[in-house]
Amino acid sequence: MEFAELIKTPRADNAVLHGPRCPAVRGTLCLTGHHLIFSSRRKEGGEELWLLHANIDCVEKRFVGSLGTIVIKCKDLRIIQLDIPGMEECLNIASSIEALSTLDSITLMYPFFYRPMFEVVEDGWRSYLPEQEFELLSSVTDEWRLSCANKDFSVCPTYPPVVIVPKCIDDEALRKVALFRYGGRFPVLSYYHKKNGMVMMRSSQPLTGTNGRRCKEDEKLINATLRPGKRGYIIDTRSLNVAQQARAKGGGFEQEVYYPQWRRIHKCIERFNILQESLIKLVEACNDQSHNMDRWLSKLEASNWLTHIKEILTAACLAAQCIDREGASVLVHGSDGTDSTLQVTSLAQIILDPRCRTIRGFEALVVREWLQAGHPFQLRCAQSAYSNTKQKWEAPVFLLFLDCVWQILRQFPCSFEFNEQFLIMLFEHAYASQFGTFLGNNENERSKLKLTQKTMSLWSWVNRSEELARFKNPLFEANSLVIWPSVAPQSLQLWEGVFLRWNRPSKFLDEAQEEVLNIINYNRELQAKVNALRRQLAELETDDRMQENLTDSTPVRAPWLRGSVDLNENPLVSS
Amino acid sequence: MEHIRTTKVEQVKLLDRFSTSNKSLTGTLYLTATHLLFIDSSRRETWILHHHIAAVEKLPLTTSGCPLVIQCKNFRIVHFVVPRERDCHDVYNSLLQLSRTAKYEELYAFSYNPKQNESEQVKGWQLIDLAEEYKRMGVPNDYWQLSDANRDYKICETYPRDLYVPRTASKPIIVGSSKFRSKGRFPVLSYYHKDKKAAICRCSQPLSGFSARCLEDEHMLQAISKANPSNRYMYVMDTRPKLNAMANRAAGKGYENEDNYSNIRFQFVGIENIHVMRSSLQKLLEVSGTKGLSVNDFLSGLESSGWLRHIKAVLDAAVFLVKAIAVESASVLVHCSDGWDRTSQVCSLGALLLDSYYRTIKGFMVLIEKDWISFGHKFSDRCCQLDGDPKEISPVFTQFLESVWNLMEQFPQAFEYNEAFLLQIHEHVHSCQFGNFLGNCQKEREELKLKEKTYSLWPFLLDEQKKYQNPLYSPDFSPELTLLEPNTVSFNFKFWRNMYHQFDRSMHPRQSVYDLIMNMSEQNKQLEKDIKELEAKIKQKNGQPDAVLLKEHQQSAHPAPVALKTPPCFKKEQPLIPVNDAVRTIEGSNTADNRYSEFMEEFSKAEPAVVSLEYGVARMTC
């Protein structure tokens, strides 16, 4: 198919763009196969808008006389308006945008056409391989093995070709267990807690059905992760009620009689359209500036978004707590094991594992726990909050996860190597991107699409030092502790960086952010200068053959680079 | 002292306010003449000033003892369990007596001795000089003059002695106007905008009833509007809801009739009265104090309390006022009923938005002295300093501070002071430790001889201003910042966790960027100094290599550690936000401070089928 067929009017002059928080600009609108481009004539360069068609969630048009107006609502929640003179041009452009933003075939998407303008230093497709992950693991324990049972995706179509399982369970047993778990998603290792050797596994629901089917291999598999005499916890992300109802459809949950060493805990994390509705309501509330206080608060409440955040965080804290405080192993699953399960396992790792709070560690987490684990990005992120076509499978599961990470980041602003912009960037790319990373629903689909050969990985771009600079948290100081967030409603906040991003003036906040950076940089500069001067002085003094005390040339260390600071102790004199 | 029956009770438990599993600390409770003190087994001290106690409640006896709940005006709530009922009863009765003071002279300020000598005390009181402040604004000038009409508090008891009025307003006009205004509070100058030549004036409601008029009052308003050469008309803002103002007419009060006053534009702005505000705060605290609160209960509670709606109304009113002055160069007369609550809020916030001086530490003190203390906001009644009418209590000043906090959130670089400054002021408005906020008006304060018998808060705050400095403040950061134009769309208003949960540390972020930046910019100053000294030394070294001299210099290059010692007066107070304590330790990751740990205790008990972890607290339902 040629994109040209879809573009009847490729260009409209004298169009007016009304963007969020900026004055209207007159200019020329151009449509290409993948972009909507608007350039104003007023200034050379700078004033151009490039919008990926894939980012467009919904297009609305209306007419006043012969002046047509197109309102474009984007998946990143931005809303722009284009005034286009001429009814026919306007109609043509609107229908082109609509068609181009809802292409059926993945292979027509921009990532398959995108040619990077930067030099690829490191191929992101090879940055986070399960084999590397396993290597790290085998340096601390030999109780696990890398299984290739799924190398042709026949055991579980939504799992990657290689997974980590207990050493004592052979591939034959895995195949049997796969038949007992929904979608073949047998329990696999999600996280190994080095501190006490406890593990977190994830799977889908067991297919017990109404007659209470059991599977000895399944029991053996998960029991293999328990220390002798120790108990484990199964965290079922569905309420007991929902889990019970699932039995009628062939699903179910682990029964106490067959899993006597496991204690089951039910949490209630919502899925699918409930979450999508929640997002739609939240965005609606945030976009209406005319709401009075009562209406705003009741809309915020009615969206239930923060309730979902609290539920997800609470479940993740619980899992982390079982592992770290209780010294117990944990199995997490919901029904499919591709949504709420992954929210819980990935957030628990953020809480427990300092590595996940670094940029590379977080990327590895997203690759491991979301992409390879088979979260169906293509389905879930097909549309965002404005779409009129409400499909059952659309849900902001990944956005909720990012929001939860943001909540933790806000409570521990020095413990993360990345900043809020990094999370927002991931949100944007999950919904529309020039990179192939979030295409497809699982590794199986991705390998069929040959993404690694035909598209560029997001990580190839992000991990370049130029880009990383934008995403680094200047306050970061590696901290090896477990971080326990507060989940009290008073401690949770609306993620303004995403939901109010286009609705509130951020000039003063941005400038303040810059000032923070200035202070930090200035501090580093001064530290360096003091050290240099001290050295110089010390040299001068040795030149004079003075018997000098070396204390003077001890380099100054920033107090914020130390474990803790006592302000009463002047860091410069303390030596 | 005669109220104290028991001075020491041992084996008292201090319960965690939000814990569902009754987690507690055991320790000893002490009663002193001024404070209640609890020392737990790890020697941590909790000091509670008697004057801070808003309510003491004895709950029904339990198996572990007699529960005693103390609510404080600074939003601390402590829940003790005293083993023996008799002790509990004694403590309860003592606290009831001690927290209710009958006479001003019994307040802490009169016995508080910060070891200042007399001249320091006098100097302290002279720190804020309102005559200077009016001079700074540019009055007296061709249009405005100092009036001596109220020199002896003869015209209005609740106004200060020195009042600024239009030059054309003669004494008879002032007297006549004051007779037509509730409590004699006639229109006077609150803030003068030099560039626009426009004024913010304040007064109380007119005694207009349904039809009464007063020529002098009409003249007075005309004089105000004529004192502004840049605009013919002026605004009259009635900060009450229209319905309330109309109801007042039946009592012979009311609002200005536009037909009787030439060139006024009359406007209601709808801020609710003190009673509505009181119960709103009460509801807010009920909601935020609920154990195991869900997000939806929190948000719907926040909504039904109306608190944020009220804060928005106050700020909206201030924005209206500022627009009239900054955009139209029109003078504005602000009033409510008596002109000491809503009027103070709106006038002071308006001035804060217009004038960057009030966004400095000293300027904010001046603003409070001017629009709140001198113009007779009834601090004593509103904060219940003496045992009085509970219907007079209202968080009007707290709302003002909260509005300022909201502005600070929107303009992080516009304020020299930080949140801790607001919290500290709030603390001392209620502490009765300093003389500034005692009493209801200046006349009363003079009669109490506060300047001789008590100390002023401001010098103490200035002494430790390092703690209150905003590291991001940039005074001339942008010319637009002289005038703040806040966005008052609802989503900008947030629950002020650091005020209402200032003592519930587990709800706060576990690491504070703010504290970190504050320390760093403090350190930067020191480093700059060090660099200068080092450079001087190197220079000298190159010039005259004299060993002895060098040695001496070296010593001076190492000043004694900057000890951030708290002055003795603050020793007993718990730090509001312990700004400087162990910035880099992560509290949440420390078992003791983290409620998840209860989860572990729970685990060792029953075997649950369902575990729910709410509010950061694990709870099990079988």
Side-chain angles (χ1 to χ4, degrees), chain A residues 314 321 477 482 485 522-523, chain B residues 296 524 528 584 589 596 599 613:
Chain A
T314 307
Q321 196 162 7
E477 181 199 329
V482 176
Y522 186 48
N523 185 272
Chain B
N296 281 356
N524 284 354
E528 280 170 353
R584 305 299 307 179
S589 298
Y596 295 116
F599 189 68
L613 198 135

Side-chain angles (χ1 to χ4, degrees), chain A residues 233 264 291 294 304 314 318 321 411 414 477 479 482 485-486 490-491 496 511 522-523 544 552 559, chain B residues 288 296 309 477 490 494 501 507 510-511 523-524 528 541 554 564 584 586 589 596 599 603 609 613:
Chain A
Y233 291 89
R264 214 177 57 248
H291 286 324
D294 290 2
N304 272 326
T314 307
L318 183 75
Q321 196 162 7
Q411 294 188 28
C414 309
E477 181 199 329
N479 126 44
V482 176
S486 160
Q490 292 96 322
S491 306
E496 297 179 17
E511 280 167 350
Y522 186 48
N523 185 272
D544 287 351
D552 228 16
Chain B
S288 67
N296 281 356
R309 187 180 71 223
F477 144 80
S490 300
K494 277 165 236 146
H501 288 296
M507 276 185 197
R510 313 307 165 88
Q511 293 169 324
Q523 196 202 14
N524 284 354
E528 280 170 353
K541 191 87 198 152
Q554 215 151 29
L564 289 177
R584 305 299 307 179
I586 298 175
S589 298
Y596 295 116
F599 189 68
F603 266 121
L613 198 135

Side-chain angles (χ1 to χ4, degrees), chain B residues 112-345:
Chain B
Y112 170 66
N113 184 358
K115 305 201 168 53
Q116 273 192 348
N117 62 36
E118 215 169 289
S119 77
E120 280 173 311
Q121 184 181 14
V122 172
K123 247 176 86 188
W125 279 112
Q126 286 164 348
L127 184 70
I128 307 293
D129 180 354
L130 289 185
E132 269 306 309
E133 168 58 11
Y134 284 99
K135 229 182 262 165
R136 188 194 67 85
M137 290 180 210
V139 283
N141 57 23
D142 292 347
Y143 303 102
W144 296 86
Q145 66 177 2
L146 176 65
S147 156
D148 59 1
N150 201 38
R151 188 110 311 162
D152 307 309
Y153 298 115
K154 275 200 181 121
I155 294 180
C156 176
E157 290 201 329
T158 57
Y159 266 172
R161 288 178 192 271
D162 293 343
L163 293 169
Y164 294 82
V165 293
R167 274 195 192 278
T168 50
S170 63
K171 186 122 185 228
I173 287 179
I174 291 174
V175 174
S177 170
S178 81
K179 286 192 176 134
F180 188 64
R181 293 276 168 179
S182 190
K183 309 276 192 320
R185 295 170 70 91
F186 62 98
V188 295
L189 183 75
S190 160
Y191 177 75
Y192 184 73
H193 197 288
K194 244 190 286 187
D195 298 341
K196 305 277 180 192
K197 298 192 163 51
I200 302 177
C201 296
R202 53 185 294 169
C203 62
S204 61
Q205 64 184 335
L207 304 175
S208 52
F210 290 100
S211 58
R213 348 183 1 176
C214 166
L215 282 175
E216 289 92 337
D217 195 62
E218 288 161 23
H219 272 130
M220 187 74 196
L221 264 64
Q222 192 143 33
I224 292 173
S225 94
K226 282 202 174 131
N228 179 353
S230 33
N231 204 323
R232 275 180 61 248
Y233 59 88
M234 69 183 282
Y235 282 93
V236 175
M237 275 174 79
D238 190 327
T239 55
R240 300 168 294 182
K242 188 172 183 185
L243 219 62
N244 299 20
M246 283 166 67
N248 261 304
R249 290 198 296 190
K253 299 164 189 171
Y255 53 92
E256 291 81 358
N257 182 342
E258 262 178 300
D259 300 338
N260 298 340
Y261 294 84
S262 49
N263 299 325
I264 70 162
R265 294 188 180 178
F266 186 84
Q267 178 74 34
F268 286 112
V269 290
I271 303 173
E272 299 288 349
N273 66 25
I274 58 166
H275 310 294
V276 175
M277 300 307 189
R278 180 180 56 246
S279 65
S280 169
L281 179 62
Q282 217 156 20
K283 275 186 217 149
L284 179 80
L285 294 177
E286 259 166 47
V287 172
S288 67
T290 313
K291 278 186 191 181
L293 186 64
S294 75
V295 172
N296 281 356
D297 286 347
F298 175 63
L299 290 174
S300 68
L302 203 56
E303 181 198 337
S304 69
S305 78
W307 185 253
L308 292 181
R309 187 180 71 223
H310 300 317
I311 300 290
K312 175 169 154 57
V314 171
L315 213 49
D316 273 332
V319 168
F320 179 90
L321 183 156
V322 164
K323 277 196 184 137
I325 291 191
V327 180
E328 300 177 48
S329 302
S331 292
V332 185
L333 174 65
V334 184
H335 72 73
C336 46
S337 300
D338 290 320
W340 50 43
D341 294 311
R342 291 167 271 203
T343 302
S344 296
Q345 287 177 331

Side-chain angles (χ1 to χ4, degrees), chain B residues 310-540:
Chain B
H310 300 317
I311 300 290
K312 175 169 154 57
V314 171
L315 213 49
D316 273 332
V319 168
F320 179 90
L321 183 156
V322 164
K323 277 196 184 137
I325 291 191
V327 180
E328 300 177 48
S329 302
S331 292
V332 185
L333 174 65
V334 184
H335 72 73
C336 46
S337 300
D338 290 320
W340 50 43
D341 294 311
R342 291 167 271 203
T343 302
S344 296
Q345 287 177 331
V346 175
C347 289
S348 55
L349 282 171
L352 186 85
L353 291 173
L354 286 167
D355 193 333
S356 59
Y357 175 64
Y358 298 125
R359 292 172 232 141
T360 63
I361 289 183
K362 177 90 183 287
F364 194 61
M365 296 172 177
V366 168
L367 185 66
I368 292 174
E369 277 285 343
K370 175 170 71 71
D371 272 312
W372 292 87
I373 295 174
S374 90
F375 277 117
H377 172 69
K378 303 204 289 174
F379 278 105
S380 176
D381 289 357
R382 298 290 176 261
C383 305
C384 194
Q385 291 170 352
L386 300 183
D387 194 16
D389 182 359
K391 286 213 173 71
E392 282 287 313
I393 303 172
S394 190
V396 177
F397 187 71
T398 308
Q399 288 182 321
F400 162 68
L401 293 179
E402 184 161 336
S403 306
V404 177
W405 173 75
N406 269 299
L407 294 173
M408 281 162 52
E409 289 282 290
Q410 278 195 41
F411 304 98
Q413 297 193 267
F415 292 81
E416 189 191 7
Y417 41 91
N418 59 18
E419 187 183 35
F421 187 57
L422 303 183
L423 294 177
Q424 186 70 292
I425 290 172
H426 182 263
E427 177 90 358
H428 284 295
V429 164
H430 293 95
S431 73
C432 300
Q433 187 176 349
F434 297 93
N436 309 61
F437 303 103
L438 299 193
N440 284 323
C441 58
Q442 294 296 58
K443 180 165 180 267
E444 201 172 12
R445 288 183 192 108
E446 284 175 22
E447 284 161 7
L448 288 167
K449 297 198 168 52
L450 291 179
K451 293 197 175 174
E452 294 147 53
K453 294 184 175 166
T454 70
Y455 296 85
S456 166
L457 167 68
W458 308 127
F460 291 91
L461 292 185
L462 271 187
D463 268 356
E464 44 175 41
Q465 62 171 309
K466 261 189 190 155
K467 287 208 290 202
Y468 307 125
Q469 260 158 4
N470 171 9
L472 303 181
Y473 174 55
S474 98
D476 38 32
F477 144 80
S478 139
E480 327 157 34
L481 264 188
T482 321
L483 171 69
L484 295 189
E485 291 174 276
N487 181 333
T488 58
V489 174
S490 300
F491 55 56
N492 288 297
F493 294 85
K494 277 165 236 146
F495 174 72
W496 194 5
R497 183 189 53 216
N498 288 357
M499 171 64 98
Y500 303 105
H501 288 296
Q502 54 182 301
F503 296 98
D504 306 312
R505 296 295 313 278
S506 62
M507 276 185 197
H508 296 215
R510 313 307 165 88
Q511 293 169 324
S512 159
V513 175
Y514 199 85
D515 294 349
L516 201 72
I517 293 301
M518 204 149 104
N519 289 338
M520 210 180 271
S521 66
E522 198 52 45
Q523 196 202 14
N524 284 354
K525 281 180 207 154
Q526 181 63 41
L527 284 169
E528 280 170 353
K529 230 161 86 192
D530 281 25
I531 287 173
K532 263 192 206 136
E533 276 161 9
L534 283 166
E535 277 170 348
K537 252 194 283 177
I538 289 169
K539 205 171 161 193
Q540 190 192 27

Side-chain angles (χ1 to χ4, degrees), chain A residues 115-135:
Chain A
R115 291 293 163 262
M117 304 290 281
F118 58 86
E119 191 197 347
V120 179
V121 185
E122 174 194 338
D123 180 9
W125 290 117
R126 304 200 50 81
S127 294
Y128 307 105
L129 299 174
E131 289 81 5
Q132 295 164 354
E133 206 57 44
F134 182 70
E135 215 165 284

